[in-house]
Amino acid sequence: MGIKKHNAAIKYIGVFLLTASVLLTNFYAVRAEDTGTVGTSAQAAAVIEQNSGRVLYNKNADQELPMASTTKIMTAAVALKYGNLSDVIEVSATAAGVEGSSMYLECGEKITLENLLYGLMLLSGNDAAVAIAEHIGGGVDGFVELMNKTASELGLSHTHFDNPNGLPSDTHYTTALELAKITRYAMSMPEFVQIVSTKSKTIPWEGKGYDRSMTNHNKLLGSLEGCIGVRPDLQRRQAGVWFLP
C-alpha cells in the first residue's frame, strides 16, 4: 500500500508566523484578489508562487521567528529524502514519551515510516517526529544535522533547527519567506503532497483489536476549494502554512 502521486494544480504557498488573530482570517486577507490594500495581522507573512518561487506578498518576511509545528514540514521532507516508506520502525520509549501533540505511539510498537509520516502531518505527532528522527538520523541530534544540512542546501541563511517537532527553543527559528521555500521544496515531492492533502487515514495499530484512525488537523482541506495543505499550528496559533488555489 504505497503513496500515489497527487495531480492537483499547485499555485501559491502562504506562510503566516506569530499570528495575533485566527489564522483562517489571515489566510483570506492575504488571498484577496481585489485592488485594495492587502494585509494580515500576522507578525510576518509571505506568499510565493510554487513554480517560480516569485514572491507575491511579504510582511517582515525576513524576520527570524519561531516556527512551532510547521517544523514538521522539514521533518517530513528530510524523511522522504533519506528514508524508505516501507521501512518498519520500532518505537522507542523516548519517542513514545515525548510531550505535546501525539499520535499515541507505544514503546515497542512497530510501524512503517509511511504511517509515521501520516501521523506526523495529519495529527502533528511529536512522538512520530522523534521516532522518524531516531530511525533516519540514528538519533534526534543526527537527524537535526540533516535538517540543517538540507536548509543550507536550499540556500537558507535565517533558519536553524534544534529538534524535529517544533518544541520551543531559543535557537529554533526561521522566517516567513524561508519557511515558504522549505514548503516549496517539500511540495516538489509527490509523496509529501499526497500526505498533507489527505483528510483522514486509517492505519493498522499493532497489538490492538482495532485500527488507528487519523483526521487531518488542517480544517481548510474541507472548507476551501482547491486547498491541499499544508501545516497549521493549532495549539499555540504561532504559525501556519497553506497552499492557496
Side-chain angles (χ1 to χ4, degrees), residues 165-176:
N165 44 40
L167 291 176
S169 171
D170 290 341
T171 51
H172 189 90
Y173 56 83
T174 190
T175 69

Side-chain angles (χ1 to χ4, degrees), residues 191-211:
E191 301 91 345
F192 182 87
V193 177
Q194 178 65 36
I195 291 167
V196 299
S197 63
T198 298
K199 294 180 182 179
S200 62
K201 182 76 173 177
T202 299
I203 63 173
W205 198 335
E206 187 185 42
K208 305 286 186 182
Y210 46 86
D211 292 334

Side-chain angles (χ1 to χ4, degrees), residues 44-58:
V47 177
I48 69 172
E49 192 174 54
Q50 164 69 2
N51 291 338
S52 67
R54 181 169 60 103
V55 178
L56 305 177
Y57 173 85
N58 83 86

Side-chain angles (χ1 to χ4, degrees), residues 31-42:
R31 182 175 176 270
E33 296 179 352
D34 56 28
T35 57
T37 300
V38 176
T40 174
S41 61

Side-chain angles (χ1 to χ4, degrees), residues 63-212:
Q63 183 179 357
E64 294 176 357
L65 292 167
M67 67 187 100
S69 287
T70 58
T71 297
K72 292 164 181 147
I73 297 170
M74 180 65 95
T75 301
V78 170
L80 290 167
K81 179 180 180 181
Y82 291 99
N84 297 306
L85 292 175
S86 60
D87 286 352
V88 178
I89 298 163
E90 183 171 343
V91 178
S92 71
T94 300
V98 71
E99 64 179 295
S101 54
S102 175
M103 67 176 293
Y104 302 105
L105 294 173
E106 299 176 348
C107 180
E109 177 182 356
K110 294 181 177 64
I111 185 170
T112 65
L113 176 60
E114 179 177 352
N115 287 337
L116 280 175
L117 286 169
Y118 275 102
L120 178 78
M121 299 308 293
L122 271 63
L123 299 180
S124 193
N126 290 344
D127 49 355
V130 172
I132 290 168
E134 290 177 339
H135 174 70
I136 300 292
V140 170
D141 289 345
F143 187 80
V144 169
E145 287 183 12
L146 294 177
M147 295 174 79
N148 286 314
K149 176 185 176 183
T150 302
S152 178
E153 290 170 350
L154 292 174
L156 310 182
S157 57
H158 297 285
T159 295
H160 187 267
F161 296 97
D162 280 344
N163 59 66
N165 44 40
L167 291 176
S169 171
D170 290 341
T171 51
H172 189 90
Y173 56 83
T174 190
T175 69
L177 181 56
E178 293 196 352
L179 184 54
K181 292 178 179 180
I182 291 169
T183 306
R184 183 183 179 217
Y185 168 67
M187 291 298 279
S188 71
M189 303 176 177
E191 301 91 345
F192 182 87
V193 177
Q194 178 65 36
I195 291 167
V196 299
S197 63
T198 298
K199 294 180 182 179
S200 62
K201 182 76 173 177
T202 299
I203 63 173
W205 198 335
E206 187 185 42
K208 305 286 186 182
Y210 46 86
D211 292 334
R212 180 184 267 119

